[in-house]
Amino acid sequence: EAYKVIRPVHWQHFAKLRPPGLIYLVKMPVKLTALNYAQGVIGVQLVVTMVMASVIQKIIPHYSLARWLLCSGSLRWYQHPTEEELRILAGKQRGKSKKDRKYNGHIENKPLTIPKDIDLHLETKSVTERDTIALHYFPEYQWLVDFTVAATIVYVVTEAYYSIVKPSQEMNISIVWCLLVLAFAVKVLFSLTTHYFKVEDGGERSVCVTFGFFFFVKAMAILIVTENYLEFGLESGFSNFSESAMMFLEKQGLESQGPVSKLTFKLFLAVLCSLIGAFLTFPGLRLAQMHLDALNLATEKITQTLLHINFLAPLFMVLLWVKPITKDYIMNPPLGKDSIPLMSEDTFDTVRLWIIILLCALRLAMMRRHLQAYLNLAQKSVDQMKKEAGRISMVDLQKMVARVFYYLCVIALQYVAPLVMLLHTTLLLKTLGNYSWGIYPELNSDTPVENSLLPSSVYSESPPADGKMKVTVVQITMALGSLKNIFTPLLFRGLLSFLTWWIAACLFSTSLFGLFYHQYLTVA
């Protein structure tokens, strides 16, 4: 029996420490049949998921990457001056009588005002964990960053498991984690965008609507471009999807011209792209302002170079799918009469994935410099105020300084959310598109793109007649296999390649417009 194998002498002591029900389970004879072994192997991904869920609940609240990025001591925020400090700088003292308070510029129903050209110098303080309690959207920021870290770890472990064991009939559970990360990122961006729509006086609502319509027209124009210029593979992927769906419906005895027409498919994509563009409008505009301020703070050449690469990273991602600029020169380089490809097509696809991941890592590494550039806006606003004439109330001055720090997590979310979307869309592209992480051809996967993920034995073997349960299991397996034949890696390659390219294109378009706005229009 199992307990005798584990501990032949002291199993009674073990029984005293555990509930009786567990002892009954332990006393059951264990037969290592092929079915038990298969169930154990299939449960590896579930075990990884449960372990990571426990880590999220128990460990990450104490060792949080999101909190470390803000509270490691490198970020310093500007404290707003107190009323006493402003009164001393203005040369006014609190009078005891109403006449004295009126002489010092203070009336009962009117706030105290001070000159704008006052000699004010703000004090700085390192961001601590206690300071983050008052920050807007800090729980959303911490959850998004920490869950993204957990999902990325699950993805890496799952990829290692698939490369070693090579299971054929399992669902890759890291896909679910990546989809959850994308859902949380879109939810956060949607929440921030709705916050702009609630502001009645500002023009943020008009900016979002304008950019939404602009990106809708841009998406319709991009979807018309042929595969000779933008090699997403949408046309071939949609054709493969339509043919597989028609074959599936014919086997079910249904007559259909396809699940959806190409025009409807592209119209749905254009609407989705317009929403993504509207969500990424203010993150791109904010990134441009932080980029300019970070460049002014940077003194080393290497730091300035990395900041420029970080800003142009979405452009590099966009060019990776422009066929005449990248792929044609690599596959058919102009090296005289003999045109020898520099790398194979599969290697180029893998290198493209690695470039995107490296650029995302660079953006994460430059995050603190951008956040510090944003925090410096408090002192920058005070310096700009000193150049103006007139007076300002103490409350407005304190709000102007304090507002910068209290919206730090909003800016952090606008910086992190597009990065998270790019990273996990790329990971989904690798997994669902059946790509490989190996750069050399011998390391690439030998599985064809059009093949199903299930073996042919599922369809060839007839279900046994001695049990209704086994018949039901085989029928469900065949149904899932049919769905995998419909949603092939060829479809996911085209769809996810386009979405990855579109996120990068939207981010670069809005950042470029923001750079032009802050560099020229604001100065003018």
Side-chain angles (χ1 to χ4, degrees), residues 1 53 61 80 138 152 154 156 197 218 233 248 381-382 405 410 458 497 506:
E1 291 179 347
H80 64 82
F138 178 74
T152 306
V154 170
V156 172
F197 273 82
K218 181 179 178 180
F248 175 76
S381 301
V382 171
F405 175 67
V410 176
V458 174
S497 295
C506 291

Side-chain angles (χ1 to χ4, degrees), residues 328-342:
D328 285 349
Y329 277 96
I330 293 176
M331 303 303 297
N332 299 308
L335 301 176
K337 297 181 179 179
D338 297 332
S339 180
I340 302 176
L342 299 178

Side-chain angles (χ1 to χ4, degrees), residues 296-495:
N296 295 329
L297 294 176
T299 57
E300 300 177 355
K301 293 294 183 181
I302 183 64
T303 305
Q304 295 178 355
T305 304
L306 291 177
L307 287 172
H308 285 301
I309 296 175
N310 179 57
F311 183 80
L312 296 176
L315 177 62
F316 297 150
M317 300 179 189
V318 168
L319 295 179
L320 289 175
W321 274 277
V322 181
K323 194 173 182 180
I325 297 178
T326 55
K327 193 170 186 179
D328 285 349
Y329 277 96
I330 293 176
M331 303 303 297
N332 299 308
L335 301 176
K337 297 181 179 179
D338 297 332
S339 180
I340 302 176
L342 299 178
M343 62 181 68
S344 63
E345 188 171 354
D346 294 338
T347 304
F348 176 76
D349 295 333
T350 303
V351 170
R352 180 162 52 193
L353 297 177
W354 278 113
I355 290 176
I356 296 175
I357 292 176
L358 291 177
L359 291 176
C360 290
L362 174 63
R363 175 148 295 194
L364 180 63
M366 305 304 294
M367 177 179 175
R368 288 180 179 174
R369 293 187 178 273
H370 287 82
L371 293 182
Q372 186 60 56
Y374 165 76
L375 291 174
N376 291 343
L377 287 179
Q379 183 64 48
K380 187 177 180 181
S381 301
V382 171
D383 295 339
Q384 182 66 29
M385 180 195 69
K386 293 179 180 179
K387 301 177 183 179
E388 301 175 358
R391 303 178 69 86
I392 185 173
S393 66
M394 288 187 179
V395 177
D396 292 339
L397 177 59
Q398 291 173 341
K399 287 182 179 180
M400 181 181 65
V401 176
R403 188 186 298 118
V404 176
F405 175 67
Y406 289 149
Y407 283 94
L408 174 63
C409 285
V410 176
I411 307 304
L413 279 174
Q414 290 179 343
Y415 187 90
V416 170
L419 167 64
V420 168
M421 294 176 65
L422 277 173
L423 176 62
H424 281 268
T425 308
T426 306
L427 297 181
L428 283 177
L429 174 60
K430 185 271 168 189
T431 302
L432 294 177
N434 200 21
Y435 286 117
S436 174
W437 293 118
I439 297 179
Y440 296 102
E442 61 268 19
L443 297 179
N444 289 345
S445 176
D446 298 331
T447 306
V449 177
E450 293 81 2
N451 289 351
S452 174
L453 298 179
L454 289 177
S456 59
S457 61
V458 174
Y459 306 96
S460 60
E461 295 180 0
S462 60
D466 58 347
K468 294 183 179 180
M469 184 64 68
K470 295 181 180 180
V471 174
T472 305
V473 170
V474 172
Q475 289 177 353
I476 294 175
T477 306
M478 293 178 64
L480 292 177
S482 301
L483 290 178
K484 290 179 180 179
N485 282 332
I486 297 174
F487 298 97
T488 59
L490 196 62
L491 171 65
F492 289 120
R493 283 190 180 188
L495 187 60

